[in-house]
Amino acid sequence: MKFNTKTIHGGQENIDPAYNSVMPPIYQTSTYAQSTPGGHKGFEYSRSGNPTRSALEKSVASLENGNYGLAFGSGLAAIDAVLKLLKPGDEVISTSDLYGGTYRLFTGIFEDFGIKFHFIGMSEAKNIENYVNDHTKLIWVETPTNPMMNIIDLEAVAKISNKHEILLAVDNTFATPYLQQPLAIGADIVMHSATKYLGGHSDVVMGVLAVKEEALANRLYFIQNASGAVAGPQDSFLVLRGIKTLHLRMQRHCENGKAVAEFLNQHPKVDKVYWPGLPSHPNHEIAKRQMKDFGGMVSFTTKDNSLSGAVSFVEKLKVFTLAESLGGVESLAGHPASMTHASIPKEKREKLGVVDSLIRLSVGVEDEQDLLEDLKQALG
């Protein structure tokens, strides 16, 4: 089954034998009748499993070429479950340029439980081996990274993780399975904030995992059930519906992202543009190899490099909405230093390139010319 067909049919089966509903129904129930103790139809209690959530989990597994999917109440809840695979004394190698909420979870919660984190640049994958030791149990990768759009060579990282028998988890939120499928390249776990592109309509908060290996999946299912941070049936329905147009939306996101990046790259007031599709972008060739296209996320800085200039720009926008999050059909603009990445100390932020003038755009699916005109008038 090709990807565009998978978004609609992948992993799906008739789960409504009563009426043959084309869309999986919303099973808004907490519990299920049993004919005798333990005599049920696969579902006992909705924390442990719900038919609507199960349909979504199968869809996600199919999209990522995995065998098992898990849906959680948020992206951070999904990451939390992955970290609960570890124990005190274990070490994690993470890309240094990553979502601020992930950094906060790692340092503000799991460091207190004795997990040690190494935040390093992964533009050169071989750099990872300098931090591998007997305690290393997990490599955490984002590519493209948030918000600097750095590209990490997943094939090279997978060779390292496989060589040392270390779990490799990839946050695939920015790329989506439409653009890249890390499990096929050698990752063990793929994570998405389904709030973003998978849902696609800014109306749900959710996280998902996809894995291939049964033993690993069973450990994660145990954590999901024991910790209880599960996705509800209504939210599962919304993301399942969103996935059915993922391929259509991503094609337009990529087209508009390219137009926006090229416009900004030529603008006299813009300093640097971060978009993997630009030939000047570091690791552009790797992006060409491991991604189908380059996505709709674009970051840039201005030549005046001032906080006041950045604030003035986002306040002038009319089509782009100033808001956190990304991946919806509508275009959004954010100021990472004061919004999504405020939890990272200023000194560390700026070392990564998250300076006060950095603007992150989630380019939506509106008309290309309207988006370019809006940026033009806001830049002045």
Side-chain angles (χ1 to χ4, degrees), residues 5 63 77 81 113 137 174 199 345 355:
T5 308
L63 291 181
F113 292 116
K137 303 299 180 187
F174 272 26
V355 296

Side-chain angles (χ1 to χ4, degrees), residues 16-288:
D16 181 32
Y19 301 107
N20 293 328
S21 170
V22 171
M23 273 297 289
I26 301 170
Y27 282 87
Q28 196 72 51
T29 184
S30 60
T31 191
Y32 306 82
Q34 301 187 25
S35 57
T36 188
H40 53 77
K41 296 183 178 181
F43 298 95
E44 305 167 78
Y45 184 66
S46 277
R47 172 171 38 79
S48 304
N50 175 283
T52 315
R53 191 177 91 219
S54 178
L56 170 64
E57 291 172 335
K58 291 176 181 177
S59 172
V60 169
S62 172
L63 291 181
E64 285 288 3
N65 287 323
N67 297 316
Y68 307 93
L70 303 92
F72 297 83
S74 69
L76 283 168
I79 300 170
D80 178 83
V82 174
L83 269 289
K84 285 174 179 170
L85 294 167
L86 308 178
K87 62 183 185 299
D90 288 346
E91 297 189 11
V92 177
I93 303 172
S94 170
T95 180
S96 53
D97 171 25
L98 79 169
Y99 170 52
T102 307
Y103 178 87
R104 180 178 58 220
L105 179 69
F106 288 178
T107 60
I109 302 293
F110 282 97
E111 275 189 350
D112 288 345
F113 292 116
I115 310 296
K116 184 176 181 180
F117 295 87
H118 302 277
F119 297 99
I120 67 168
M122 292 186 181
S123 294
E124 294 287 340
K126 62 185 179 183
N127 188 36
I128 294 170
E129 291 211 80
N130 297 329
Y131 296 85
V132 172
N133 59 53
D134 291 342
H135 301 289
T136 309
K137 303 299 180 187
L138 175 68
I139 298 174
W140 185 267
V141 171
E142 284 182 18
T143 183
T145 61
N146 181 5
M148 302 307 298
M149 310 302 156
N150 288 320
I151 297 297
I152 296 169
D153 187 338
L154 290 177
E155 185 178 2
V157 178
K159 286 179 181 176
I160 294 168
S161 67
N162 186 57
K163 173 184 173 183
H164 297 281
E165 298 183 343
I166 301 165
L167 284 175
L168 172 58
V170 178
D171 182 338
N172 203 28
T173 299
F174 272 26
T176 81
Y178 177 81
L179 297 181
Q180 69 185 13
Q181 293 157 1
L183 293 181
I185 303 175
D188 299 291
I189 303 170
V190 172
M191 194 286 298
H192 289 271
S193 172
T195 310
K196 314 304 193 296
Y197 286 108
L198 296 188
H201 293 79
S202 302
D203 55 7
V204 65
V205 173
M206 187 189 294
V208 296
L209 300 176
V211 300
K212 272 190 172 180
E213 207 262 322
E214 184 179 12
L216 177 59
N218 286 337
R219 291 171 66 195
L220 288 165
Y221 281 129
F222 175 83
I223 293 166
Q224 181 192 42
N225 185 44
S227 295
V230 296
Q234 175 74 30
D235 288 350
S236 296
F237 174 84
L238 288 171
V239 174
L240 196 54
R241 182 177 67 170
I243 283 173
K244 289 182 183 293
T245 59
L246 176 65
H247 56 305
L248 303 174
R249 291 184 285 106
M250 287 307 298
Q251 181 179 343
R252 180 58 63 87
H253 283 301
C254 291
E255 292 168 357
N256 283 353
K258 181 176 189 286
V260 164
E262 291 179 346
F263 167 80
L264 292 171
N265 204 38
Q266 299 297 320
H267 198 283
K269 291 188 177 180
V270 171
D271 185 21
K272 295 177 181 175
V273 179
Y274 303 96
W275 184 67
L278 293 174
S280 59
H281 188 86
N283 282 354
H284 169 69
E285 291 302 316
I286 293 172
K288 281 173 64 177

